[in-house]
Amino acid sequence: MTMKNLKYIALILVLLIAPEMNAQMRTVVSLTGVVLDAISKQPIGVNVEIYDSGNKRVQKVTSNAKTGVYFATSLKPGETYEVRIAEFNYMRQSVVVSFPKTDKYAEFSRDLTLIPKKSGTKIELPFKAFGLHKSTLKFGSNVLLQDFINLFKGNLTVNFKIISFPDEIGDPNQNMQLTQARAESLRHFFIDNGIQANRISTMGNNTTDPNNPPPTGNASKGKRYTGTCYLVIEEF
């Protein structure tokens, strides 16, 4: 194949690929969602800032105080962004959002929940970290706990207490041993993942959770109640 033919083939490839590349360069995507108070579940108005992979702020919008809805556009497909919220009455939070490549306009949704920065705020773990009568973290809990690791790394002045409740009404001493061991398992997990030990305290219980007690009837097949765990903001 001659050099002339190679140049001709290269030109054809450029002509075929260039329109698609130009379309992607011109295309924008948008990010929308609702910002809620994690405890009251009420919408809140806050500044939502979006940073690109080079840590440059590319968007700053405000969520609607009545509906909690925010909307940011002119973002690029195929890129990864960090969404940051720093509001005085709430803990600093950030999430990473990656957009797929596309040559057509698209809207993507990501709701955000903010935790009040107030002593006594109680955050229930939204998953069962332990098996029945067990004090070792269940497989996969490390992934589910990562959001809390990021939360406390982003709020270095916040101290918190881990509170654990037992699975059932039973021997008070055994319940206390189990729940204290569970709280310590969580504490060690946080420490192993970069949270300072002096920021974390623990508390076990010998009675079941009064706000989320075991069911009184027969449990659904395959579902077993296990005691609740909470993270409680102590000071900041």
Side-chain angles (χ1 to χ4, degrees):
M1 185 177 291
T2 66
M3 182 61 69
K4 183 177 180 180
N5 288 337
L6 288 174
K7 290 181 178 179
Y8 180 71
I9 293 172
L11 177 61
I12 292 175
L13 290 174
V14 169
L15 292 174
L16 290 173
I17 296 172
E20 182 179 349
M21 293 179 61
N22 288 334
Q24 286 196 8
M25 291 177 64
R26 292 192 302 268
T27 302
V28 299
V29 295
S30 299
L31 181 66
T32 187
V34 177
V35 184
L36 299 176
D37 184 299
I39 306 303
S40 69
K41 308 302 181 185
Q42 294 299 307
I44 49 179
V46 294
N47 291 326
V48 179
E49 298 182 342
I50 301 177
Y51 290 76
D52 64 16
S53 56
N55 201 34
K56 177 183 177 182
R57 192 178 76 184
V58 295
Q59 284 284 346
K60 180 180 179 180
V61 298
T62 302
S63 61
N64 186 288
K66 292 184 178 180
T67 64
V69 173
Y70 73 94
F71 182 83
T73 191
S74 298
L75 304 173
K76 297 179 181 179
E79 297 291 331
T80 296
Y81 296 90
E82 183 179 9
V83 182
R84 302 178 189 173
I85 299 180
E87 188 71 15
F88 180 76
N89 294 320
Y90 291 88
M91 296 177 68
R92 292 176 177 268
Q93 289 182 240
S94 65
V95 296
V96 175
V97 178
S98 296
F99 297 118
K101 292 182 179 180
T102 179
D103 59 358
K104 297 180 180 179
Y105 173 78
E107 289 184 9
F108 298 89
S109 179
R110 180 62 187 263
D111 293 340
L112 306 168
T113 55
L114 302 187
I115 298 171
K117 190 165 63 174
K118 179 181 179 182
S119 295
T121 296
K122 182 184 290 187
I123 311 159
E124 180 180 348
L125 289 189
F127 61 93
K128 297 300 182 182
F130 302 96
L132 186 68
H133 302 153
K134 303 295 184 182
S135 61
T136 55
L137 287 168
K138 291 172 65 175
F139 179 78
S141 293
N142 58 322
V143 176
L144 298 173
L145 285 166
Q146 191 58 50
D147 284 346
F148 292 104
I149 295 293
N150 295 337
L151 176 69
F152 290 113
K153 282 185 176 180
N155 295 269
L156 296 176
T157 62
V158 174
N159 296 340
F160 62 100
K161 178 185 290 185
I162 301 169
I163 299 179
S164 175
F165 286 93
D167 303 329
E168 58 195 9
I169 300 171
D171 181 88
N173 292 329
Q174 291 182 357
N175 279 346
M176 180 60 75
Q177 290 176 5
L178 173 66
T179 55
Q180 190 61 47
R182 285 178 173 177
E184 286 297 327
S185 289
L186 284 166
R187 180 175 182 270
H188 286 299
F189 177 84
F190 281 111
I191 294 171
D192 291 343
N193 283 273
I195 307 300
Q196 295 88 340
N198 61 359
R199 296 176 58 193
I200 313 168
S201 60
T202 61
M203 184 177 123
N205 285 276
N206 56 20
T207 58
T208 55
D209 185 357
N211 296 316
N212 184 21
T216 54
N218 293 327
S220 301
K221 186 177 180 180
K223 291 186 177 181
R224 299 293 297 271
Y225 173 90
T226 54
T228 323
C229 291
Y230 297 94
L231 308 179
V232 181
I233 306 303
E234 290 199 299
E235 57 181 282
F236 50 89

